[in-house]
Amino acid sequence: MAAVRVSSRSGLPSLLLYLGIGIAIGQDGIFDVKFNNAELTQVIGYAALVVILAEGGLGTKWKEIRPALPAAAMLSIVGVAVSVGVTAAGAHYLVGLDWRQSLIIGAVVSSTDAAAVFSVLRKVPLPARVTGVLEAESGFNDAPVVILVVAFSTRGPVESWYVLVGEIALELAIGAAVGLAVGWLGSFGLRHVALPASGLYPIAVMAIAVSAYAAGALAHGSGFLAVYLAAMILGNAKLPHWPATRGFADGLGWLAQIGMFVLLGLLVTPHDLYDDFWPAVIVGLVLTVVARPLEVFISLAPFRLPWQEKVFMSWAGLRGAVPIILATIPMVSGVEGSTRIFNIVFVLVVVYTLIQGPTLPWMAKALKIADDPAEAADLGIESAPLERLRGHLLSVAIPGKSKMHGVEVGELRLPAGAAVTLVVRDEKSFVPAPSTVLRRGDELLVVTTDPVRDAAEERLHAVGEGGKLAGWLGTSGSGGKSLAGPHVAHDVAHALKAVKKLGKTDGPKAHR
């Protein structure tokens, strides 16, 4: 856990620290532990990747990622193709690798890692559009990259490009269908069936996400895409005991990363890296300076995004756990020169993560794309089903930047069938009156009947984002519905404009 704290304070992605631990106890290290089982590393790495993708999907907000889906899809398909081609050409002509090895390296390093990117951006909030594109890209591009690496690592001639494109499209379609179906069925079941203990909900959520991977793989689809989509649906389904579930998934994600990176550090032989250091630097330079910017600007050309955001996305294409795991595929397949491929990928990931990671916050500020830190924060709402009473108990935490601060309980205007029953403030609890003013740091207990549970949550989110006038001025909740309706918002805005216009025209006459 000390490594986690050091990573958080230094701004360096935890990848480097855990890889360093594995190297320190492995060959040429302090304990000189000899480990060279690439097949076992690949199996454990895949299992860890499933958990990491599930945790990432659970933490993805649908309202932020939905507008970014087309751009992320282009980056994951067109962008991957551009990155593979440019990087492979650089590895072949500048480093002297044969075309199979070059294509494998180009495919392996074309997968980005959102965990590595956002672990260094905790103090620099980005626009939802940027985070949405980067998160969705990292969740989507694993699937086509895995297919390409497996195809290039198969003995015999590489299949024609149109065959690979067809296989990628088919596996992505199957994986997406399976992931959406499993996620919807799982969320429906968890919302309508009360489990005997609250501690079972986090386990059930992770089990459903992992089962999506298994179902997608059995259907000959992309299991990685299936688990990400299923987890994303579960994460946006307003499930009971959600904060506990989110914390459990976050802990599992950290555990998976720690175990996977330490194992990858054990697999590498440090004294073998010297000869491949400069080839890795050259390939990484092609990838970072040429391939990634071309990938971003070509893929996002149809979208009207500011050039500053495109430049930042070009620099934010960090490579983390996935490329190193994928580099074990040619080793297991017995590809000639596979050890050198692994060494080049390992050095490339470490060196360029060390360079790019700490500079990402500076880049966001230099390009002036960092969000205003004073922007209202969303509420934390935990729901516990009251099965026998046919109701729900909502626990609402008001963060420091929420616009619910200063709102009276009566001004919440909760739907009929919902009421604030208790307020916890400064470690003391009391039953509020309609005139009780809410403050930042308060925790509310809201009891709702089953039919109005969703409407109550939407209203609470709306007030947290827009204050006491939410709904009248068109501010909506998480569900995207304004309580006052769009016509009311239009009428209010029209009336305000009329008053301003009247003040300008009648003001001088009144003074005459």
Side-chain angles (χ1 to χ4, degrees):
M1 293 303 102
V4 177
R5 292 194 296 269
V6 172
S7 172
S8 299
R9 294 173 182 174
S10 65
L12 291 175
S14 57
L15 157 70
L16 302 179
L17 296 173
Y18 304 136
L19 282 176
I21 292 173
I23 294 173
I25 64 179
Q27 301 181 57
D28 299 341
I30 299 173
F31 299 101
D32 197 24
V33 176
K34 291 181 171 55
F35 178 80
N36 56 5
N37 193 332
E39 188 172 0
L40 177 61
T41 303
Q42 181 182 328
V43 171
I44 296 177
Y46 272 32
L49 183 57
V50 169
V51 174
I52 293 171
L53 284 174
E55 188 272 332
L58 291 173
T60 300
K61 294 182 179 180
W62 173 245
K63 64 180 181 181
E64 293 182 0
I65 201 174
R66 179 174 56 186
L69 287 179
M74 288 292 289
L75 278 173
S76 302
I77 300 175
V78 177
V80 165
V82 172
S83 179
V84 172
V86 174
T87 306
H92 177 72
Y93 291 110
L94 299 179
V95 178
L97 299 177
D98 63 46
W99 274 113
R100 181 182 290 274
Q101 296 172 349
S102 300
L103 287 171
I104 291 174
I105 289 180
V108 163
V109 298
S110 294
S111 179
T112 57
D113 188 347
V117 173
F118 293 105
S119 65
V120 297
L121 291 175
R122 295 184 180 95
K123 297 181 180 179
V124 184
L126 292 170
R129 178 172 52 214
V130 176
T131 58
V133 171
L134 290 174
E135 286 185 4
E137 180 198 10
S138 65
F140 293 167
N141 65 10
D142 291 338
V145 165
V146 170
I147 297 171
L148 288 175
V149 174
V150 172
F152 295 149
S153 301
T154 303
R155 294 180 180 275
V158 178
E159 295 178 325
S160 301
W161 66 268
Y162 53 86
V163 177
L164 288 178
V165 171
E167 289 183 357
I168 292 173
L170 180 60
E171 291 197 21
L172 290 179
I174 295 174
V178 170
L180 294 174
V182 172
W184 185 86
L185 291 174
S187 63
F188 179 84
L190 290 176
R191 284 171 59 88
H192 291 82
V193 177
L195 298 180
S198 60
L200 293 177
Y201 283 91
I203 298 174
V205 168
M206 292 302 297
I208 292 170
V210 173
S211 67
Y213 173 82
L218 289 174
H220 300 287
S222 172
F224 293 119
L225 182 59
V227 67
Y228 182 77
L229 291 178
M232 187 171 64
I233 291 178
L234 291 168
N236 290 272
K238 301 176 185 177
L239 299 178
H241 306 289
W242 177 244
T245 301
R246 188 72 187 92
F248 178 77
D250 191 46
L252 279 184
W254 274 106
L255 186 62
Q257 288 189 66
I258 292 171
M260 177 176 55
F261 293 147
V262 171
L263 193 62
L264 290 171
L266 283 172
L267 185 62
V268 72
T269 304
H271 68 260
D272 290 341
L273 300 178
Y274 299 136
D275 294 337
D276 297 317
F277 178 82
W278 288 112
V281 171
I282 294 173
V283 174
L285 193 63
V286 173
L287 172 67
T288 306
V289 179
V290 182
R292 177 64 181 180
L294 282 176
E295 169 189 356
V296 171
F297 278 85
I298 291 176
S299 301
L300 302 183
F303 306 95
R304 295 182 178 179
L305 296 177
W307 67 267
Q308 295 93 334
E309 295 183 3
K310 293 181 180 179
V311 171
F312 181 82
M313 292 181 194
S314 300
W315 189 247
L318 288 182
R319 272 66 190 173
V322 180
I324 304 178
I325 295 172
L326 296 181
T328 63
I329 294 178
M331 297 178 70
V332 175
S333 302
V335 175
E336 183 180 356
S338 58
T339 301
R340 190 182 185 197
I341 293 174
F342 181 85
N343 292 339
I344 290 176
V345 172
F346 189 94
V347 173
L348 185 155
V349 169
V350 171
V351 170
Y352 285 91
T353 301
L354 186 61
I355 294 174
Q356 293 175 269
T359 59
L360 282 176
W362 173 85
M363 180 70 74
K365 293 178 182 179
L367 294 172
K368 298 180 180 180
I369 63 171
D371 263 348
D372 183 4
E375 186 178 351
D378 198 7
L379 297 174
I381 300 181
E382 179 174 0
S383 173
L386 305 174
E387 187 72 12
R388 293 169 57 189
L389 302 179
R390 296 183 180 179
H392 294 266
L393 181 64
L394 306 181
S395 175
V396 183
I398 303 179
K401 299 174 184 176
S402 173
K403 291 187 179 180
M404 191 177 285
H405 173 77
V407 176
E408 296 181 3
V409 171
E411 292 173 331
L412 292 176
R413 291 187 285 118
L414 296 175
V420 180
T421 59
L422 197 70
V423 175
V424 180
R425 178 180 296 165
D426 298 329
E427 299 183 356
K428 296 180 180 179
S429 60
F430 60 92
V431 177
S435 59
T436 299
V437 178
L438 301 176
R439 300 177 184 174
R440 57 178 60 93
D442 285 354
E443 293 185 18
L444 317 180
L445 291 183
V446 181
V447 176
T448 76
T449 58
D450 191 65
V452 302
R453 177 253 177 127
D454 289 343
E457 280 202 35
E458 289 177 1
R459 178 59 191 165
L460 290 169
H461 280 293
V463 177
E465 296 173 1
K468 64 180 70 177
L469 295 180
W472 295 110
L473 298 180
T475 305
S476 61
S478 60
K481 297 179 181 179
S482 173
L483 297 182
H487 61 285
V488 175
H490 174 75
D491 292 343
V492 172
H494 182 73
L496 290 175
K497 290 181 180 179
V499 171
K500 290 181 180 179
K501 183 177 181 181
L502 183 63
K504 291 179 179 179
T505 56
D506 294 346
K509 293 180 182 180
H511 288 289
R512 289 176 181 174

